[in-house]
Every structure is written in structure tokens, then in C-alpha cells.
Amino acid sequence: MDMDKLVSLCKRRGFLFQSSEIYGGLNGFWDYGPLGVELKRNVREAWWQDMVRGHDELDAPPGAPEPFEMVGLDCTIIMHPQVWKCSGHYDLFHDFMVDCRESKKRYRHDQVHGRWVEAKEQRIFVATQAGGEEGEADAQQRALKFFNLRSKDAERLAWQGPLVSLTEIHDFSNVLGPDAKELGTLTPPREFNLMFKTYVGALSGEEGAAFLRPETAQGIFVNFKNVCDSTRVRVPFGIAQMGKSFRNEITPRNFTFRSREFEQMEIEFFCHPKASPEWYKFWRDRRYQWYLDLGLAGERLRLRDHDADELSHYSCGTADIEYAFPFLPPGEFGELEGIAHRGDFDLRSHMEGKLVRQGDELVVETGEDGKPHHRGSGKDLTYRDDLTNERFTPHVIEPSAGADRATLAFLCQAYTEDEAPDEKGKMQTRVVMKFHPRIAPIKAAVFPLVKKDGMPEVAKKIYLALKKRFNVFYDEKGAVGRRYRRQDEAGTPYCITVDGQTLEDRTVTVRDRDSLKQWRVSVDECPDEIARLIENPGAS
Ligand code: GAP
């Protein structure tokens, strides 16, 4: 699939716009248009329904060791600054960046690649931001330019080894930066904390400093005791939250994939330490299946266990659910969701103070004076099982998803070009967004075949009846074939047409977006038929 076509459809049909576009846009920020807002809302609602509201605490879902409860939470974006000191984000949530003195551009150190090449008795490292074949082609173009060679002299470039990460290069004096014409213009890598800083109240100094949350998870940990005390949840149970998170990404890119403002959908699942490996496996499999059930194709979706050196500072095991986004080089996957076994790191950090790993142990990090480097709340965040009387700090399994990334994956998966007959039966190429009906922005469109003979009146009545239950669209403008095409591009799974026969027998045609099959349904049964199809899309 050509990503440019999807990006242009998103703008043209109102899925996604660049934020503040009339002022030239703001890098890393995106707005959802009228169709996009419905799509993303449906993704979030599907997650909330499947993970929280629709969850049956009396019956264990397939693969779960036992029944469990799920509850929700909605915390603030700005929290006490100590939260981020104890969570590790204040000291550790950074990327390394390099600046280019010549182009004035800034890059994430680990996202720059390059190749060594020799020509005219000079050996240089040509850096590029692109990966795979695209990166190699870019390096070749820029090497030719640097050595003042023409394309036909490309064989005079002696390449040494494949593309490697800039992180493997220690001396930048022979590095040609990704947008530079001269050598040695990249600065040494520097740490850059990704949290957005702000000031609370009238205090503009460090006393008033606070941060926009870089993840929703910490709001759940600091409310663990409140939830236990105010509800009757018993371990094992999960707390879910969705909402905005902010990260001052050095190089936001790939449409909404890496944004500076985005939404997360996170679950913290609290369980007994001994049962945690089983729950980790359950959540990995369950979350993977969720994406499949909503239509992501198995061959483009994978579950990948992290290598030990990839694990976050808190994690004893993490798996990523990854999708083969079309903007990535062939064979590469991008993260949709991480499922992490966080052990008792977070609850203990908020009790005792920021923890660090010492061998196999997590211990409170201390300063030179022997006192905690970042003091915890001192509150008791342990749990007492009232049946066994055992007191312990629960271990946590965290399935952490991005609502915008999931929405982007559903957009990429949906984009299809195929052939459909026009009014005269002639096959025409059409663009169709094949969303799963549960997440489709518009569930059904209602058309009168022609704008006369009482058809619009009947169609409007059907539209109003459907509107009480679903997001539906009424259209009487233009040829019916054109109206179908517009709904195909919007991803509307069902189109309902009022025609001459409707006036005789009160039936309408329902057209399926993907199979193009049409069948007749009575006007009165239309809302139930659409509800049945959304839940069970194959049933038409
Ligand atoms: N609490 C754990 C946590 O935040 P993460 O892997 O940093 O883990 C979880 O983020 C998910 O949030 C990612 O899998 C991704 O879907 C989404 N996400 C993270 N950074 C993002 C960004 N800059 N833009 C869009 N989505 C992002």
C-alpha cells in the first residue's frame, strides 16, 4: 500500500489534519477530522468495552487462570512532580540526540544510520535517516555528491559493510550528517528528557515546576490504595485508564505513529507474585487476539518478546505487539502495544523511593548522604489477602497500547483498491476503507434511489430511526453509484437504499461494502439488521 495515498485520503475525507495547519502546522501534533474522531472514538470504546465494561468478573476469559475484576480510572495529566522522580522518568526518561551545526537539524542518535565508503583516497561515514534500501539509495546519492562524482561513476565508490547505527560510531570527524554537505558537523550525543515541563500556579521557578504525564500508568499506581479501599476488588484485578500523554519526541515522524501528544490505553493488572508469569502470558495472548478480532491481518501483526538488553529499567519481561506499517521498510514492524511484567517496581517505588537494580535485587537509590535519592510517599501500598491473611506487594502486568497508533494501523489495514461495477455494470477501480464494522466511523448510509416519488421522505424516516442507535449518514445528492463510492472511501460498511419496491412492500436494499452483495430487508427490521451485522459482520 502506498502511504502517500492514505495520507492524502485522510486529509481529503477528514480523517486527519495537521495541527494548526493554517499557520504551517506544528511538527508532531495532529487533529482528527469528522471521520477520524469517530474512528478513534470507536477504537477507544471497543477497548473500554472489551477490557472493562463488558468484562465478566464471574467467568474467566479463555486462557485466564481464574475470574478477575476490571475497573476504570481517569486521572489528571499534571501530577505531583515526585511521581515522576519515583517512577524513574525524571532521571531516566530521555533519548540521546545529536545536532547538526551546518543544517541546524536535530536527530535522535539511535535513528541515524550510515555506511562507510571510500573514494578518491578518502574514507567517510555517510549518515542517513532512512533505513533499508531507501537508506542505501540515499547514502549513495549523497556520497556521489560529496565526492563530486556522476551517477555513472557509482562503481568508484567502495562501500564497506552494510548500514549500521550511528551509535556504533565514536568519532564523528569523518561523518557526513544526514542533511550536511561537509564532514564533522554533528555534535556529540546529548541526553534530552522527553517530558514536557510546565509551571503550576504563580510560581515560575523550580518550586512550581511540574510535568505533563508521559504515560497514564503512574496515575493508576498512585491510586492503587484508593481503588482497593473504595471498591471491593480483590487481587487479581486490573485498573484501566485511557487518556492523553505527552512526550517531547526529538524526531516525531511517520504520520501519527510518533507524535508529541497522543493517547494511551493502559491496564495495570495486579496479581500475586507467584501467579504473575501465568498472567503475563494471558495478557500477551489476549491483547494480540484483540487486534486480530478487529481486523488486523495475521501476517502483518506479530508478537515479539524483548531481548534482555531491550527491557525497560523496571521490567522483568516484555513483549510487543507489532504491525508491519507500510511506511516502514519491507520486513520491519512498528510497536502498537507493549505488554510488560513490571514486578513490584512501581508500587514499591511509590512507597519507598526510586528503586535501582543491584544484581537481582531492587533497592532504594541513595545519595552520598545515604538518604533516598528520590523519597517515596511512605504510604503502605501492600495488599492483604483477607482469605489467606497473606500480605504482599502485588506484581503488575501492564498491557500498554496507543490509541493513535492502533487507529493508524486500522487505517493502513483498511485501505484497499479493488474493482466494483458502476451503474452500467462496468467494472471501475474504487478506493474502499475496509474497517471492521465495530470501528467504522459511519455504520450505515441511507439513500433514496431518486429524489422524488416520496422516496426521500421514507429514507429520512429510516435514517432518523437508525440515528438513535448508530452514527449514520443521509445522502440524496448525485447518482447512487457515486454515493456508494463516497461511502466506500469513508469505510461505511452498509448502505441502505429506498427504491420503487420500498413504496410497494416496505423493504429496502442493504448493500455490503466488501462483498457488494445486496439483499432486501423490511423497513421496520432495518435497525436490528444493522446491529446484528455490526456484531457479526460475516453474517450477511
Ligand atoms: N506505561 C508504559 C509505556 O508508556 P511505551 O511503550 O512507552 O510504554 C506504550 O508506550 C504505547 O504508547 C506504545 O506502544 C505506543 O502505542 C504508544 N506511544 C508511545 N509513544 C508514542 C508516541 N510518541 N506517539 C504515539 N504513540 C505512542
Side-chain angles (χ1 to χ4, degrees):
M1 196 264 285
D2 182 347
M3 197 61 201
D4 291 342
K5 286 189 182 170
L6 177 67
V7 173
S8 106
L9 178 131
C10 282
K11 163 119 207 254
R12 185 162 46 81
R13 294 307 312 267
F15 282 99
L16 275 159
F17 307 128
Q18 217 186 350
S19 164
S20 332
E21 196 186 273
I22 59 166
Y23 288 104
L26 188 60
N27 200 8
F29 296 89
W30 296 92
D31 295 337
Y32 286 82
L35 285 181
V37 69
E38 293 292 339
L39 174 67
K40 183 169 150 188
R41 187 176 273 260
N42 292 341
V43 170
R44 288 180 358 223
E45 276 170 12
W47 181 83
W48 194 259
Q49 174 62 24
D50 296 345
M51 298 298 125
V52 188
R53 279 211 181 142
H55 173 77
D56 178 1
E57 68 277 7
L58 304 177
D59 196 12
E66 57 182 298
F68 60 90
E69 274 194 70
M70 291 293 297
V71 293
L73 204 58
D74 186 14
C75 308
T76 59
I77 284 169
I78 296 177
M79 300 169 72
H80 194 293
Q82 200 63 15
V83 169
W84 308 111
K85 293 189 175 160
C86 289
S87 70
H89 288 83
Y90 185 79
D91 294 331
L92 298 169
F93 194 56
H94 49 235
D95 279 336
F96 283 90
M97 60 179 184
V98 290
D99 286 310
C100 177
R101 284 184 282 258
E102 184 190 316
S103 68
K104 307 285 178 242
K105 290 206 170 156
R106 175 165 285 180
Y107 310 96
R108 225 173 89 175
H109 189 206
D110 61 345
Q111 282 178 352
V112 180
H113 293 79
R115 276 184 93 181
W116 285 105
V117 63
E118 199 172 329
K120 299 185 176 175
E121 293 176 11
Q122 193 180 7
R123 183 172 179 265
I124 66 166
F125 184 83
V126 189
T128 170
Q129 278 202 286
E133 281 174 22
E134 211 184 308
E136 287 181 9
D138 181 48
Q140 162 125 335
Q141 279 309 315
R142 298 192 33 256
L144 286 171
K145 227 179 192 165
F146 178 83
F147 288 112
N148 212 359
L149 294 171
R150 284 179 295 186
S151 304
K152 67 180 178 53
D153 298 323
E155 76 280 1
R156 288 180 60 192
L157 297 172
W159 292 101
Q160 296 166 358
L163 279 180
V164 292
S165 169
L166 186 67
T167 53
E168 293 181 25
I169 311 298
H170 302 297
D171 173 4
F172 289 176
S173 54
N174 287 318
V175 171
L176 182 67
D179 297 281
K181 294 191 184 72
E182 287 169 31
L183 293 181
T185 61
L186 294 184
T187 61
R190 280 188 292 145
E191 275 180 15
F192 178 78
N193 194 298
L194 299 183
M195 284 196 292
F196 279 99
K197 201 172 186 178
T198 186
Y199 296 92
V200 174
L203 302 169
S204 60
E206 278 312 294
E207 298 151 80
F211 301 94
L212 305 194
R213 68 179 176 201
E215 60 170 29
T216 60
Q218 296 305 321
I220 300 181
F221 293 120
V222 300
N223 275 297
F224 171 73
K225 198 168 157 41
N226 279 338
V227 173
C228 288
D229 292 348
S230 60
T231 65
R232 292 173 58 191
V233 286
R234 302 190 65 249
V235 165
F237 73 94
I239 306 180
Q241 163 160 232
M242 53 192 184
K244 292 263 182 170
S245 292
F246 300 80
R247 297 184 187 178
N248 202 358
E249 300 282 358
I250 299 170
T251 45
R253 57 180 173 169
N254 290 334
F255 214 10
T256 57
F257 182 82
R258 191 174 301 287
S259 314
R260 290 178 164 142
E261 174 175 341
F262 55 96
E263 244 173 296
Q264 289 186 308
M265 309 186 289
E266 298 197 282
I267 295 170
E268 306 302 327
F269 188 79
F270 300 92
C271 57
H272 192 282
K274 284 201 187 121
S276 61
E278 251 184 300
W279 284 111
Y280 171 61
K281 192 173 171 317
F282 162 72
W283 279 106
R284 263 181 28 159
D285 298 346
R286 186 177 196 212
R287 293 299 308 145
Y288 180 71
Q289 189 60 41
W290 187 78
Y291 292 100
L292 289 177
D293 290 347
L294 283 177
L296 294 192
E299 67 276 10
R300 292 174 75 173
L301 192 70
R302 75 175 185 194
L303 194 55
R304 185 183 67 84
D305 285 305
H306 279 208
D307 297 333
D309 61 352
E310 268 185 280
L311 296 181
S312 325
H313 55 277
Y314 48 74
S315 184
C316 0
T318 296
D320 281 345
I321 298 172
E322 299 179 328
Y323 183 71
F325 285 98
F327 47 76
L328 298 173
E332 279 190 25
F333 287 70
E335 176 188 328
L336 274 185
E337 171 162 350
I339 297 98
H341 184 308
R342 291 173 77 126
D344 57 5
F345 176 88
D346 302 272
L347 289 178
R348 277 189 55 203
S349 296
H350 289 304
M351 276 193 282
E352 303 166 26
K354 189 192 155 209
L355 299 176
V356 282
R357 197 167 281 283
Q358 224 171 59
D360 287 345
E361 296 277 295
L362 283 171
V363 295
V364 175
E365 188 182 58
T366 49
E368 276 171 16
D369 56 3
K371 292 189 179 147
H373 186 41
H374 294 306
R375 208 175 283 283
S377 67
K379 299 281 184 301
D380 181 4
L381 303 182
T382 59
Y383 172 84
R384 191 179 67 84
D385 187 320
D386 51 12
L387 294 181
T388 61
N389 241 343
E390 186 188 2
R391 185 169 280 285
F392 58 93
T393 310
H395 276 203
V396 171
I397 310 301
E398 177 192 71
S400 170
D404 304 271
R405 280 209 193 154
T407 303
L408 182 59
F410 289 124
L411 278 164
C412 294
Q413 182 72 46
Y415 187 95
T416 314
E417 286 176 14
D418 66 10
E419 297 226 312
D422 65 10
E423 275 104 295
K424 294 179 191 121
K426 206 169 140 227
M427 293 309 269
Q428 299 277 2
T429 303
R430 69 166 181 165
V431 171
V432 50
M433 296 299 283
K434 293 190 172 177
F435 297 119
H436 187 290
R438 272 186 81 192
I439 58 167
I442 301 169
K443 304 299 180 206
V446 186
F447 309 148
L449 184 63
V450 288
K451 229 166 115 181
K452 56 182 186 185
D453 303 335
M455 288 184 208
E457 289 73 14
V458 179
K460 278 179 193 163
K461 273 197 188 148
I462 297 172
Y463 164 72
L464 290 174
L466 286 166
K467 208 173 168 59
K468 290 192 185 127
R469 292 170 60 180
F470 317 102
N471 190 35
V472 287
F473 189 80
Y474 176 80
D475 191 3
E476 57 180 27
K477 289 188 212 96
V480 75
R482 296 264 297 278
R483 285 181 259 164
Y484 280 144
R485 292 291 179 277
R486 281 189 61 76
Q487 292 308 315
D488 287 344
E489 272 194 347
T492 307
Y494 306 107
C495 288
I496 296 160
T497 306
V498 170
D499 55 17
Q501 196 178 324
T502 313
L503 309 176
E504 288 163 20
D505 65 5
R506 281 187 62 76
T507 64
V508 287
T509 61
V510 179
R511 170 211 190 240
D512 181 285
R513 175 197 66 200
D514 301 345
S515 67
L516 299 171
K517 270 203 291 186
Q518 299 202 16
W519 65 101
R520 294 198 81 88
V521 175
S522 97
V523 167
D524 300 329
E525 279 169 20
C526 237
D528 284 344
E529 173 81 349
I530 297 299
R532 186 181 65 82
L533 290 167
I534 292 170
E535 282 307 317
N536 201 358
S540 63

